[in-house]
Amino acid sequence: MLADMTEPFDVVLIGAGIMSATLGSLLRKLEPGLRIAIFERLDRAAAESSDAWNNAGTGHAGYCELNYTPQARDGAVDCAKAIRIAAQFERSLAYWRSLVACGDLPEASSFVRRVPHVSFVWGDADVAFLAARHAKLQESALFSGMELTRDAAQIAEWVPLVMEGRSREVPVAATRMADGTDVNFGALTREMVASLARQPGVDVHLSHEVDGLRRDGASWCVDVRDVATGDERTVRARFVFIGAGGYSLSLLEKSGIPEAEGYGAFPVSGQWLRCTDRAVIARHHAKVYGRAEVGAPPMSVPHLDSRWIDGERELLFGPYAGFTTKFLKKGSWLDLLSSIGVSNVGPVMSAGIENFDLTRYLVGQAMLSVDERISLLRRYYPAAAADDWAVQVAGLRVQIIKRARDGLGELKFGTEVVTSADGSIAALLGASPGASTAVAIMLELLERCFASRWREPAWRSRLEAVLPPPPA
Ligand SMILES: Cc1cc2nc3c(=O)[nH]c(=O)nc-3n(C[C@H](O)[C@H](O)[C@H](O)COP(=O)(O)OP(=O)(O)OC[C@H]3O[C@@H](n4cnc5c(N)ncnc54)[C@H](O)[C@@H]3O)c2cc1C
């Protein structure tokens, strides 16, 4: 049932994933009197990408993700992205800590656990790369605790499964950051949404889908449908955030703002292998990231991951990326087709042609047999027994296609905040590095959309109270 919604809301948040939850939480800290409505099409918050089984739960801090530190032809390793993401993740941790301290979130162990982050490589070239990466990262204080070893016995101590049954003929190397984290973004998001729902002036409506969106003077009309009853209602809002994950692009297009033109979307599905043997799960305590295969997209870097989900330790390997035409796990097979219109057909088609090899790779991955998946797993866990692993479907990542200056489409693997010129509407497109950097992404959004309030002393001091400024 939709309550009285004749009065305009200050803010409407579409979707109850980690991005909307973070923005709602920050907005209420900055402006406690704001009237906020959250609409979520599913009957549970954080049931799409933000759910623990749908993502890898890595607190991305650049410790182990080798794709954040590309190597130039001359061997030089560029660590700028890893350092930027490490600093952004620190902001997320600091904000979550302050929410725990003020009682908005339960104890931190219910959503974040310390799990060492390990990068593991083999072969002379990759061993040299890892050593160069380690040396370069040591220049930043954020990575001062990072250990490097080329000693197989040491690696076997850190991550026994990785070395069990491995030939000792091939050179190996690993780095370890003991301070790495596993984050249950689903549990975190649901707690943030529950905390918002307890506050007067915040309405959370599950099973309510936003179907339409249009400007009306200084405010937005948002068409909402109760999924259970079919009842439809239009609510008004001064500011709208489209945090609809894979469906953000279609809603952004409905807004009609010129900034939405020229964007397209390219969905990538994911699957894990999930360990079913509790004895094996108990023997691994790390997130072990390797190097992506040649031709593989950056989000399919394989990793053997300790997880904490619903109070239990778990072990996942993957993700295996694949081709799909859906934009959400609980979406429609027609999503890709219906996302293409007059304003983006050029960029989408040209990006499709330009990235034909990627599409072919993803189709190939989607068709892998169980045996082929197990043989990929054995690169990281050579002694893995096939019977101990089952397929688990992951979430979808909808990558951005953006019109470049030449009018052609460019495939991007990051995230992008799109805002209207007047700052009254914003959407988050893209998927990576995602949930870990939600706080930094939403702070950027606030600065852009609430520019004058952002500079006011009241907002500055309220922000500092929940998020002390990072060290200079
Ligand atoms: C396989 C995989 C691995 C990942 N690994 C990591 C990782 O290790 N670390 C990390 O930090 N990030 C990771 N990510 C990325 C991270 O999961 C996402 O960036 C993050 O969850 C996105 O949050 P969101 O709120 O934007 O979207 P979502 O969590 O997808 O939430 C969007 C919500 O909007 C709702 N919605 C959609 N349309 C409507 C509508 N019309 N009306 C109302 N509601 C609507 C949806 O039902 C959904 O609940 C991974 C993602 C995937 C897929």
mmCIF file of all heavy atoms in Angstrom, residues 14-20 39-42 48-50 54-58 60 185 208-210 243-245 247 251 272 289 328 394-397 428 431 433-436, ligand 1:
data_model
loop_
_atom_site.group_PDB
_atom_site.id
_atom_site.type_symbol
_atom_site.label_atom_id
_atom_site.label_comp_id
_atom_site.label_asym_id
_atom_site.label_seq_id
_atom_site.Cartn_x
_atom_site.Cartn_y
_atom_site.Cartn_z
ATOM 1 N N ILE A 14 15.554 5.194 -6.370
ATOM 2 C CA ILE A 14 15.003 4.048 -7.104
ATOM 3 C C ILE A 14 15.962 2.876 -6.950
ATOM 4 O O ILE A 14 17.111 2.938 -7.381
ATOM 5 C CB ILE A 14 14.791 4.387 -8.595
ATOM 6 C CG1 ILE A 14 13.931 5.643 -8.742
ATOM 7 C CG2 ILE A 14 14.153 3.196 -9.319
ATOM 8 C CD1 ILE A 14 13.767 6.123 -10.172
ATOM 9 N N GLY A 15 15.469 1.795 -6.330
ATOM 10 C CA GLY A 15 16.304 0.614 -6.086
ATOM 11 C C GLY A 15 16.832 0.638 -4.661
ATOM 12 O O GLY A 15 17.153 1.700 -4.120
ATOM 13 N N ALA A 16 16.890 -0.554 -4.058
ATOM 14 C CA ALA A 16 17.418 -0.656 -2.687
ATOM 15 C C ALA A 16 18.673 -1.519 -2.680
ATOM 16 O O ALA A 16 18.767 -2.501 -1.967
ATOM 17 C CB ALA A 16 16.356 -1.203 -1.746
ATOM 18 N N GLY A 17 19.637 -1.155 -3.520
ATOM 19 C CA GLY A 17 20.962 -1.772 -3.495
ATOM 20 C C GLY A 17 21.903 -0.908 -2.669
ATOM 21 O O GLY A 17 21.480 0.086 -2.047
ATOM 22 N N ILE A 18 23.186 -1.260 -2.679
ATOM 23 C CA ILE A 18 24.133 -0.537 -1.809
ATOM 24 C C ILE A 18 24.262 0.940 -2.173
ATOM 25 O O ILE A 18 24.483 1.779 -1.297
ATOM 26 C CB ILE A 18 25.529 -1.205 -1.818
ATOM 27 C CG1 ILE A 18 26.452 -0.517 -0.809
ATOM 28 C CG2 ILE A 18 26.198 -1.160 -3.185
ATOM 29 C CD1 ILE A 18 27.067 -1.394 0.174
ATOM 30 N N MET A 19 24.060 1.272 -3.462
ATOM 31 C CA MET A 19 24.254 2.673 -3.857
ATOM 32 C C MET A 19 23.135 3.557 -3.291
ATOM 33 O O MET A 19 23.412 4.596 -2.681
ATOM 34 C CB MET A 19 24.325 2.796 -5.383
ATOM 35 C CG MET A 19 25.488 2.056 -5.999
ATOM 36 S SD MET A 19 27.084 2.661 -5.388
ATOM 37 C CE MET A 19 28.182 1.399 -6.037
ATOM 38 N N SER A 20 21.884 3.145 -3.473
ATOM 39 C CA SER A 20 20.782 3.950 -2.915
ATOM 40 C C SER A 20 20.871 3.999 -1.396
ATOM 41 O O SER A 20 20.652 5.053 -0.782
ATOM 42 C CB SER A 20 19.425 3.338 -3.283
ATOM 43 O OG SER A 20 19.145 3.516 -4.641
ATOM 44 N N PHE A 39 12.044 3.111 -3.474
ATOM 45 C CA PHE A 39 11.196 2.129 -4.152
ATOM 46 C C PHE A 39 12.066 1.003 -4.693
ATOM 47 O O PHE A 39 13.030 1.247 -5.417
ATOM 48 C CB PHE A 39 10.420 2.779 -5.302
ATOM 49 C CG PHE A 39 9.446 3.824 -4.823
ATOM 50 C CD1 PHE A 39 9.718 5.180 -4.991
ATOM 51 C CD2 PHE A 39 8.270 3.453 -4.183
ATOM 52 C CE1 PHE A 39 8.831 6.142 -4.528
ATOM 53 C CE2 PHE A 39 7.383 4.411 -3.716
ATOM 54 C CZ PHE A 39 7.656 5.757 -3.886
ATOM 55 N N GLU A 40 11.700 -0.231 -4.333
ATOM 56 C CA GLU A 40 12.459 -1.412 -4.757
ATOM 57 C C GLU A 40 11.485 -2.408 -5.376
ATOM 58 O O GLU A 40 10.483 -2.768 -4.758
ATOM 59 C CB GLU A 40 13.188 -2.019 -3.543
ATOM 60 C CG GLU A 40 13.707 -3.428 -3.732
ATOM 61 C CD GLU A 40 14.652 -3.592 -4.920
ATOM 62 O OE1 GLU A 40 15.654 -2.856 -5.004
ATOM 63 O OE2 GLU A 40 14.378 -4.466 -5.778
ATOM 64 N N ARG A 41 11.802 -2.870 -6.600
ATOM 65 C CA ARG A 41 10.858 -3.754 -7.312
ATOM 66 C C ARG A 41 10.760 -5.147 -6.685
ATOM 67 O O ARG A 41 9.740 -5.816 -6.820
ATOM 68 C CB ARG A 41 11.219 -3.837 -8.802
ATOM 69 C CG ARG A 41 12.511 -4.566 -9.080
ATOM 70 C CD ARG A 41 12.990 -4.316 -10.509
ATOM 71 N NE ARG A 41 12.274 -5.060 -11.517
ATOM 72 C CZ ARG A 41 12.659 -6.247 -12.003
ATOM 73 N NH1 ARG A 41 13.761 -6.821 -11.561
ATOM 74 N NH2 ARG A 41 11.958 -6.842 -12.940
ATOM 75 N N LEU A 42 11.832 -5.604 -6.020
ATOM 76 C CA LEU A 42 11.806 -6.947 -5.437
ATOM 77 C C LEU A 42 11.264 -6.888 -4.000
ATOM 78 O O LEU A 42 11.134 -5.802 -3.425
ATOM 79 C CB LEU A 42 13.207 -7.560 -5.466
ATOM 80 C CG LEU A 42 13.810 -7.694 -6.875
ATOM 81 C CD1 LEU A 42 15.204 -8.310 -6.818
ATOM 82 C CD2 LEU A 42 12.905 -8.536 -7.788
ATOM 83 N N GLU A 48 19.791 -8.037 -5.739
ATOM 84 C CA GLU A 48 20.464 -8.157 -7.054
ATOM 85 C C GLU A 48 21.986 -8.119 -6.817
ATOM 86 O O GLU A 48 22.481 -8.825 -5.965
ATOM 87 C CB GLU A 48 19.977 -7.048 -7.999
ATOM 88 C CG GLU A 48 18.587 -7.333 -8.581
ATOM 89 C CD GLU A 48 18.581 -8.415 -9.681
ATOM 90 O OE1 GLU A 48 19.666 -8.775 -10.172
ATOM 91 O OE2 GLU A 48 17.499 -8.896 -10.043
ATOM 92 N N SER A 49 22.732 -7.292 -7.537
ATOM 93 C CA SER A 49 24.211 -7.327 -7.467
ATOM 94 C C SER A 49 24.750 -7.197 -6.050
ATOM 95 O O SER A 49 25.802 -7.748 -5.731
ATOM 96 C CB SER A 49 24.811 -6.205 -8.308
ATOM 97 O OG SER A 49 24.586 -6.470 -9.647
ATOM 98 N N SER A 50 24.048 -6.477 -5.187
ATOM 99 C CA SER A 50 24.589 -6.236 -3.847
ATOM 100 C C SER A 50 24.497 -7.460 -2.949
ATOM 101 O O SER A 50 25.129 -7.489 -1.885
ATOM 102 C CB SER A 50 23.868 -5.049 -3.183
ATOM 103 O OG SER A 50 24.057 -3.880 -3.951
ATOM 104 N N ASN A 54 25.858 -12.872 -5.051
ATOM 105 C CA ASN A 54 25.887 -12.328 -6.414
ATOM 106 C C ASN A 54 27.162 -11.568 -6.736
ATOM 107 O O ASN A 54 27.413 -11.239 -7.891
ATOM 108 C CB ASN A 54 24.669 -11.419 -6.640
ATOM 109 C CG ASN A 54 23.393 -12.223 -6.706
ATOM 110 O OD1 ASN A 54 23.445 -13.433 -6.942
ATOM 111 N ND2 ASN A 54 22.260 -11.581 -6.496
ATOM 112 N N ASN A 55 27.955 -11.217 -5.708
ATOM 113 C CA ASN A 55 29.238 -10.551 -5.972
ATOM 114 C C ASN A 55 30.334 -11.286 -5.206
ATOM 115 O O ASN A 55 30.054 -12.224 -4.471
ATOM 116 C CB ASN A 55 29.169 -9.061 -5.608
ATOM 117 C CG ASN A 55 28.865 -8.856 -4.147
ATOM 118 O OD1 ASN A 55 29.665 -9.183 -3.284
ATOM 119 N ND2 ASN A 55 27.681 -8.328 -3.843
ATOM 120 N N ALA A 56 31.576 -10.836 -5.378
ATOM 121 C CA ALA A 56 32.703 -11.564 -4.776
ATOM 122 C C ALA A 56 32.987 -11.123 -3.350
ATOM 123 O O ALA A 56 33.835 -11.715 -2.681
ATOM 124 C CB ALA A 56 33.954 -11.381 -5.630
ATOM 125 N N GLY A 57 32.333 -10.066 -2.889
ATOM 126 C CA GLY A 57 32.511 -9.622 -1.512
ATOM 127 C C GLY A 57 33.915 -9.125 -1.192
ATOM 128 O O GLY A 57 34.262 -8.979 -0.016
ATOM 129 N N THR A 58 34.679 -8.840 -2.214
ATOM 130 C CA THR A 58 36.034 -8.343 -1.943
ATOM 131 C C THR A 58 35.960 -6.860 -1.588
ATOM 132 O O THR A 58 35.358 -6.081 -2.332
ATOM 133 C CB THR A 58 36.933 -8.535 -3.180
ATOM 134 O OG1 THR A 58 36.932 -9.919 -3.513
ATOM 135 C CG2 THR A 58 38.357 -8.064 -2.911
ATOM 136 N N HIS A 60 37.427 -4.111 -2.238
ATOM 137 C CA HIS A 60 38.460 -3.742 -3.218
ATOM 138 C C HIS A 60 39.309 -2.594 -2.679
ATOM 139 O O HIS A 60 38.812 -1.498 -2.450
ATOM 140 C CB HIS A 60 37.820 -3.310 -4.539
ATOM 141 C CG HIS A 60 37.304 -4.456 -5.347
ATOM 142 N ND1 HIS A 60 38.083 -5.529 -5.696
ATOM 143 C CD2 HIS A 60 36.077 -4.695 -5.880
ATOM 144 C CE1 HIS A 60 37.368 -6.388 -6.411
ATOM 145 N NE2 HIS A 60 36.145 -5.906 -6.527
ATOM 146 N N PHE A 185 28.153 -7.387 1.306
ATOM 147 C CA PHE A 185 27.480 -6.146 0.915
ATOM 148 C C PHE A 185 25.953 -6.268 1.027
ATOM 149 O O PHE A 185 25.262 -5.275 1.230
ATOM 150 C CB PHE A 185 27.866 -5.759 -0.518
ATOM 151 C CG PHE A 185 29.313 -5.359 -0.655
ATOM 152 C CD1 PHE A 185 30.212 -6.171 -1.330
ATOM 153 C CD2 PHE A 185 29.781 -4.190 -0.097
ATOM 154 C CE1 PHE A 185 31.550 -5.813 -1.449
ATOM 155 C CE2 PHE A 185 31.118 -3.827 -0.199
ATOM 156 C CZ PHE A 185 32.004 -4.632 -0.885
ATOM 157 N N HIS A 208 7.783 -2.524 -5.114
ATOM 158 C CA HIS A 208 7.258 -1.362 -5.842
ATOM 159 C C HIS A 208 8.223 -0.995 -6.960
ATOM 160 O O HIS A 208 9.376 -0.652 -6.700
ATOM 161 C CB HIS A 208 7.081 -0.156 -4.907
ATOM 162 C CG HIS A 208 5.836 -0.235 -4.093
ATOM 163 N ND1 HIS A 208 5.727 -1.040 -2.981
ATOM 164 C CD2 HIS A 208 4.628 0.362 -4.263
ATOM 165 C CE1 HIS A 208 4.508 -0.928 -2.478
ATOM 166 N NE2 HIS A 208 3.816 -0.082 -3.239
ATOM 167 N N GLU A 209 7.717 -1.099 -8.190
ATOM 168 C CA GLU A 209 8.587 -0.870 -9.346
ATOM 169 C C GLU A 209 8.323 0.500 -9.949
ATOM 170 O O GLU A 209 7.167 0.904 -10.126
ATOM 171 C CB GLU A 209 8.325 -1.965 -10.406
ATOM 172 C CG GLU A 209 9.193 -1.794 -11.633
ATOM 173 C CD GLU A 209 9.458 -3.110 -12.350
ATOM 174 O OE1 GLU A 209 8.981 -4.169 -11.880
ATOM 175 O OE2 GLU A 209 10.154 -3.055 -13.383
ATOM 176 N N VAL A 210 9.398 1.199 -10.252
ATOM 177 C CA VAL A 210 9.265 2.492 -10.935
ATOM 178 C C VAL A 210 9.207 2.214 -12.439
ATOM 179 O O VAL A 210 10.112 1.598 -13.006
ATOM 180 C CB VAL A 210 10.447 3.430 -10.590
ATOM 181 C CG1 VAL A 210 10.407 4.680 -11.462
ATOM 182 C CG2 VAL A 210 10.410 3.793 -9.112
ATOM 183 N N GLY A 243 19.201 4.354 -8.778
ATOM 184 C CA GLY A 243 20.176 3.359 -8.304
ATOM 185 C C GLY A 243 19.631 1.974 -8.604
ATOM 186 O O GLY A 243 19.595 1.116 -7.727
ATOM 187 N N ALA A 244 19.219 1.792 -9.855
ATOM 188 C CA ALA A 244 18.491 0.576 -10.228
ATOM 189 C C ALA A 244 19.418 -0.486 -10.813
ATOM 190 O O ALA A 244 18.946 -1.417 -11.476
ATOM 191 C CB ALA A 244 17.374 0.937 -11.206
ATOM 192 N N GLY A 245 20.717 -0.369 -10.571
ATOM 193 C CA GLY A 245 21.656 -1.380 -11.061
ATOM 194 C C GLY A 245 21.547 -1.515 -12.572
ATOM 195 O O GLY A 245 21.597 -0.526 -13.309
ATOM 196 N N TYR A 247 19.115 -1.831 -14.433
ATOM 197 C CA TYR A 247 17.990 -1.109 -15.052
ATOM 198 C C TYR A 247 18.163 0.409 -14.997
ATOM 199 O O TYR A 247 17.260 1.150 -15.395
ATOM 200 C CB TYR A 247 16.664 -1.503 -14.390
ATOM 201 C CG TYR A 247 16.071 -2.804 -14.937
ATOM 202 C CD1 TYR A 247 16.762 -3.550 -15.892
ATOM 203 C CD2 TYR A 247 14.835 -3.267 -14.517
ATOM 204 C CE1 TYR A 247 16.240 -4.735 -16.399
ATOM 205 C CE2 TYR A 247 14.306 -4.458 -15.020
ATOM 206 C CZ TYR A 247 15.016 -5.187 -15.957
ATOM 207 O OH TYR A 247 14.489 -6.355 -16.456
ATOM 208 N N LEU A 251 15.885 3.602 -17.138
ATOM 209 C CA LEU A 251 15.176 4.665 -16.412
ATOM 210 C C LEU A 251 15.770 6.033 -16.744
ATOM 211 O O LEU A 251 15.050 7.018 -16.885
ATOM 212 C CB LEU A 251 15.228 4.397 -14.908
ATOM 213 C CG LEU A 251 14.327 3.252 -14.438
ATOM 214 C CD1 LEU A 251 14.690 2.814 -13.022
ATOM 215 C CD2 LEU A 251 12.852 3.664 -14.496
ATOM 216 N N TRP A 272 29.895 -18.838 -10.322
ATOM 217 C CA TRP A 272 30.982 -19.305 -9.464
ATOM 218 C C TRP A 272 30.997 -20.824 -9.456
ATOM 219 O O TRP A 272 29.989 -21.462 -9.754
ATOM 220 C CB TRP A 272 30.765 -18.885 -7.999
ATOM 221 C CG TRP A 272 30.361 -17.490 -7.736
ATOM 222 C CD1 TRP A 272 29.140 -17.045 -7.318
ATOM 223 C CD2 TRP A 272 31.190 -16.319 -7.821
ATOM 224 N NE1 TRP A 272 29.159 -15.672 -7.157
ATOM 225 C CE2 TRP A 272 30.402 -15.209 -7.461
ATOM 226 C CE3 TRP A 272 32.515 -16.108 -8.181
ATOM 227 C CZ2 TRP A 272 30.883 -13.917 -7.447
ATOM 228 C CZ3 TRP A 272 33.001 -14.827 -8.167
ATOM 229 C CH2 TRP A 272 32.195 -13.744 -7.799
ATOM 230 N N TYR A 289 43.878 -13.761 -5.849
ATOM 231 C CA TYR A 289 43.598 -13.250 -7.190
ATOM 232 C C TYR A 289 44.771 -13.550 -8.119
ATOM 233 O O TYR A 289 45.932 -13.380 -7.735
ATOM 234 C CB TYR A 289 43.386 -11.730 -7.160
ATOM 235 C CG TYR A 289 41.977 -11.308 -6.816
ATOM 236 C CD1 TYR A 289 41.394 -11.671 -5.606
ATOM 237 C CD2 TYR A 289 41.229 -10.530 -7.700
ATOM 238 C CE1 TYR A 289 40.105 -11.271 -5.283
ATOM 239 C CE2 TYR A 289 39.937 -10.130 -7.387
ATOM 240 C CZ TYR A 289 39.376 -10.501 -6.181
ATOM 241 O OH TYR A 289 38.105 -10.104 -5.874
ATOM 242 N N LEU A 328 19.308 -7.644 -15.348
ATOM 243 C CA LEU A 328 19.247 -7.981 -13.923
ATOM 244 C C LEU A 328 19.020 -9.486 -13.836
ATOM 245 O O LEU A 328 18.458 -10.087 -14.758
ATOM 246 C CB LEU A 328 18.074 -7.257 -13.224
ATOM 247 C CG LEU A 328 18.220 -5.755 -12.955
ATOM 248 C CD1 LEU A 328 16.909 -5.198 -12.382
ATOM 249 C CD2 LEU A 328 19.369 -5.454 -12.000
ATOM 250 N N ALA A 394 26.027 -16.125 -10.279
ATOM 251 C CA ALA A 394 26.384 -14.818 -9.689
ATOM 252 C C ALA A 394 25.480 -13.722 -10.257
ATOM 253 O O ALA A 394 24.557 -14.005 -11.026
ATOM 254 C CB ALA A 394 27.847 -14.524 -9.998
ATOM 255 N N GLY A 395 25.765 -12.497 -9.889
ATOM 256 C CA GLY A 395 24.986 -11.370 -10.407
ATOM 257 C C GLY A 395 25.468 -10.959 -11.789
ATOM 258 O O GLY A 395 26.423 -11.511 -12.325
ATOM 259 N N LEU A 396 24.779 -9.965 -12.347
ATOM 260 C CA LEU A 396 25.151 -9.458 -13.675
ATOM 261 C C LEU A 396 25.869 -8.132 -13.529
ATOM 262 O O LEU A 396 25.558 -7.341 -12.642
ATOM 263 C CB LEU A 396 23.902 -9.219 -14.519
ATOM 264 C CG LEU A 396 22.964 -10.396 -14.694
ATOM 265 C CD1 LEU A 396 21.789 -9.991 -15.558
ATOM 266 C CD2 LEU A 396 23.697 -11.542 -15.360
ATOM 267 N N ARG A 397 26.824 -7.916 -14.426
ATOM 268 C CA ARG A 397 27.449 -6.589 -14.486
ATOM 269 C C ARG A 397 27.057 -5.982 -15.819
ATOM 270 O O ARG A 397 27.306 -6.577 -16.857
ATOM 271 C CB ARG A 397 28.957 -6.699 -14.437
ATOM 272 C CG ARG A 397 29.457 -7.305 -13.149
ATOM 273 C CD ARG A 397 30.893 -6.932 -13.000
ATOM 274 N NE ARG A 397 31.655 -7.999 -12.426
ATOM 275 C CZ ARG A 397 32.549 -7.803 -11.463
ATOM 276 N NH1 ARG A 397 32.763 -6.619 -10.972
ATOM 277 N NH2 ARG A 397 33.234 -8.813 -11.000
ATOM 278 N N LEU A 428 23.506 6.063 -11.596
ATOM 279 C CA LEU A 428 24.802 5.399 -11.569
ATOM 280 C C LEU A 428 24.797 4.300 -12.626
ATOM 281 O O LEU A 428 23.961 3.405 -12.585
ATOM 282 C CB LEU A 428 25.076 4.775 -10.198
ATOM 283 C CG LEU A 428 26.449 4.113 -10.156
ATOM 284 C CD1 LEU A 428 27.539 5.162 -10.010
ATOM 285 C CD2 LEU A 428 26.548 3.102 -9.038
ATOM 286 N N ALA A 431 29.677 -0.926 -13.395
ATOM 287 C CA ALA A 431 29.684 -1.944 -12.351
ATOM 288 C C ALA A 431 30.941 -2.049 -11.508
ATOM 289 O O ALA A 431 30.931 -2.734 -10.503
ATOM 290 C CB ALA A 431 29.447 -3.297 -13.015
ATOM 291 N N PRO A 433 34.747 -0.426 -9.667
ATOM 292 C CA PRO A 433 34.909 -1.436 -8.647
ATOM 293 C C PRO A 433 33.711 -1.564 -7.707
ATOM 294 O O PRO A 433 33.751 -2.377 -6.790
ATOM 295 C CB PRO A 433 36.144 -0.981 -7.888
ATOM 296 C CG PRO A 433 36.200 0.484 -8.075
ATOM 297 C CD PRO A 433 35.574 0.758 -9.398
ATOM 298 N N GLY A 434 32.696 -0.783 -7.924
ATOM 299 C CA GLY A 434 31.412 -1.080 -7.336
ATOM 300 C C GLY A 434 31.231 -0.805 -5.870
ATOM 301 O O GLY A 434 31.595 0.258 -5.355
ATOM 302 N N ALA A 435 30.663 -1.817 -5.204
ATOM 303 C CA ALA A 435 30.168 -1.633 -3.851
ATOM 304 C C ALA A 435 31.236 -1.105 -2.897
ATOM 305 O O ALA A 435 30.948 -0.285 -2.021
ATOM 306 C CB ALA A 435 29.621 -2.965 -3.348
ATOM 307 N N SER A 436 32.467 -1.531 -3.060
ATOM 308 C CA SER A 436 33.544 -1.110 -2.149
ATOM 309 C C SER A 436 33.727 0.401 -2.139
ATOM 310 O O SER A 436 34.149 0.967 -1.136
ATOM 311 C CB SER A 436 34.878 -1.727 -2.579
ATOM 312 O OG SER A 436 34.790 -3.110 -2.606
HETATM 313 C C1 LIG B 1 29.923 -11.162 -10.282
HETATM 314 C C2 LIG B 1 30.124 -9.874 -9.552
HETATM 315 C C3 LIG B 1 31.173 -9.728 -8.667
HETATM 316 C C4 LIG B 1 31.359 -8.519 -7.988
HETATM 317 N N1 LIG B 1 32.344 -8.440 -7.059
HETATM 318 C C5 LIG B 1 32.486 -7.311 -6.342
HETATM 319 C C6 LIG B 1 33.438 -7.263 -5.302
HETATM 320 O O1 LIG B 1 34.126 -8.241 -5.026
HETATM 321 N N2 LIG B 1 33.568 -6.101 -4.611
HETATM 322 C C7 LIG B 1 32.818 -5.003 -4.904
HETATM 323 O O2 LIG B 1 33.004 -3.988 -4.260
HETATM 324 N N3 LIG B 1 31.889 -5.024 -5.888
HETATM 325 C C8 LIG B 1 31.696 -6.153 -6.598
HETATM 326 N N4 LIG B 1 30.750 -6.217 -7.569
HETATM 327 C C9 LIG B 1 30.001 -4.992 -7.917
HETATM 328 C C10 LIG B 1 28.884 -4.698 -6.910
HETATM 329 O O3 LIG B 1 28.157 -5.866 -6.626
HETATM 330 C C11 LIG B 1 27.972 -3.633 -7.512
HETATM 331 O O4 LIG B 1 28.743 -2.532 -7.927
HETATM 332 C C12 LIG B 1 26.953 -3.111 -6.511
HETATM 333 O O5 LIG B 1 26.306 -4.150 -5.828
HETATM 334 C C13 LIG B 1 25.946 -2.263 -7.269
HETATM 335 O O6 LIG B 1 24.992 -1.788 -6.353
HETATM 336 P P1 LIG B 1 23.714 -1.043 -6.884
HETATM 337 O O7 LIG B 1 22.995 -0.547 -5.702
HETATM 338 O O8 LIG B 1 24.093 -0.054 -7.930
HETATM 339 O O9 LIG B 1 22.883 -2.166 -7.701
HETATM 340 P P2 LIG B 1 22.039 -3.409 -7.200
HETATM 341 O O10 LIG B 1 22.563 -4.039 -5.993
HETATM 342 O O11 LIG B 1 21.856 -4.287 -8.403
HETATM 343 O O12 LIG B 1 20.660 -2.749 -6.801
HETATM 344 C C14 LIG B 1 19.777 -2.199 -7.744
HETATM 345 C C15 LIG B 1 18.380 -2.421 -7.207
HETATM 346 O O13 LIG B 1 17.454 -1.706 -8.017
HETATM 347 C C16 LIG B 1 16.278 -2.486 -8.145
HETATM 348 N N5 LIG B 1 15.538 -1.990 -9.306
HETATM 349 C C17 LIG B 1 15.878 -2.125 -10.609
HETATM 350 N N6 LIG B 1 14.969 -1.522 -11.386
HETATM 351 C C18 LIG B 1 14.035 -0.996 -10.554
HETATM 352 C C19 LIG B 1 12.847 -0.252 -10.779
HETATM 353 N N7 LIG B 1 12.440 0.098 -12.012
HETATM 354 N N8 LIG B 1 12.099 0.126 -9.701
HETATM 355 C C20 LIG B 1 12.509 -0.204 -8.432
HETATM 356 N N9 LIG B 1 13.625 -0.917 -8.169
HETATM 357 C C21 LIG B 1 14.388 -1.288 -9.232
HETATM 358 C C22 LIG B 1 16.823 -3.900 -8.276
HETATM 359 O O14 LIG B 1 15.849 -4.873 -7.987
HETATM 360 C C23 LIG B 1 17.963 -3.886 -7.273
HETATM 361 O O15 LIG B 1 17.556 -4.295 -5.988
HETATM 362 C C24 LIG B 1 30.505 -7.420 -8.242
HETATM 363 C C25 LIG B 1 29.432 -7.566 -9.115
HETATM 364 C C26 LIG B 1 29.222 -8.789 -9.752
HETATM 365 C C27 LIG B 1 28.042 -8.944 -10.642
#
